[in-house]
């Protein structure tokens, strides 16, 4: 538990392809980068939508290039790196 009262179990994946091989139905929230291997975060999110996954998605990236496109896959938020701690926790509060 952190000072904000959140409790989380975190799994890390090295790419969108690796994430899509996992049982993603166990997740409530996924934080995806835009640039994550051969498959972009947007393409990964599109596949998750096709599976009808219930998890909410937050994108984090160094680029604003895909911000508008992220909402086409129902992203909860698009954050640009470096991410300010207060902005990150406001996003979790919104979730």
């Amino acid at each position: 538990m952190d000072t904000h009262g959140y409790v989380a179990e975190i799994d890390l994946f090295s790419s969108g392809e690796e994430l899509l091989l996992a049982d993603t139905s166990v997740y409530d929230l996924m934080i995806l980068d835009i640039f994550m291997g051969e498959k972009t975060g947007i393409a990964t999110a599109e596949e998750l939508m096709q599976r009808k996954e219930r998890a909410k998605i937050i994108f984090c990236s160094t680029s604003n290039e895909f911000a508008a496109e992220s909402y086409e896959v129902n992203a909860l938020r698009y954050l640009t790196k470096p991410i300010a701690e207060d902005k990150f926790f406001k996003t979790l509060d919104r979730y």
Side-chain angles (χ1 to χ4, degrees), residues 5 7 14 17 20 35 39 43 45 50 58-59 81 83 88-89:
V7 176
S14 62
E17 295 85 0
L20 292 168
F35 306 108
K39 190 177 292 285
Q50 289 173 359
I58 298 171
F59 285 102
K81 297 176 188 177
I83 301 166
F88 180 73
F89 283 106

Side-chain angles (χ1 to χ4, degrees), residues 55-82:
K56 298 291 184 192
I57 295 174
I58 298 171
F59 285 102
C60 298
S61 183
T62 56
S63 168
N64 282 324
E65 181 181 352
F66 296 92
E69 194 174 345
S70 74
Y71 294 101
E72 292 177 21
V73 291
N74 299 320
L76 177 65
R77 187 87 190 258
Y78 190 102
L79 300 170
T80 52
K81 297 176 188 177

Side-chain angles (χ1 to χ4, degrees), residues 26-62:
V26 300
Y27 300 112
D28 297 316
L29 178 66
M30 295 185 207
I31 300 174
L32 304 178
D33 200 332
I34 291 297
F35 306 108
M36 46 190 295
E38 295 289 318
K39 190 177 292 285
T40 67
I42 298 291
T44 301
E46 287 171 344
E47 284 197 40
L48 291 168
M49 282 183 63
Q50 289 173 359
R51 294 181 186 182
K52 300 195 185 317
E53 296 294 348
R54 62 178 175 78
K56 298 291 184 192
I57 295 174
I58 298 171
F59 285 102
C60 298
S61 183
T62 56

Side-chain angles (χ1 to χ4, degrees), residues 3-31:
T3 58
H4 295 270
Y6 293 108
V7 176
E9 184 176 320
I10 300 171
D11 294 323
L12 301 174
F13 297 91
S14 62
S15 67
E17 295 85 0
E18 185 181 354
L19 171 64
L20 292 168
L21 290 174
D23 177 9
T24 55
S25 68
V26 300
Y27 300 112
D28 297 316
L29 178 66
M30 295 185 207
I31 300 174

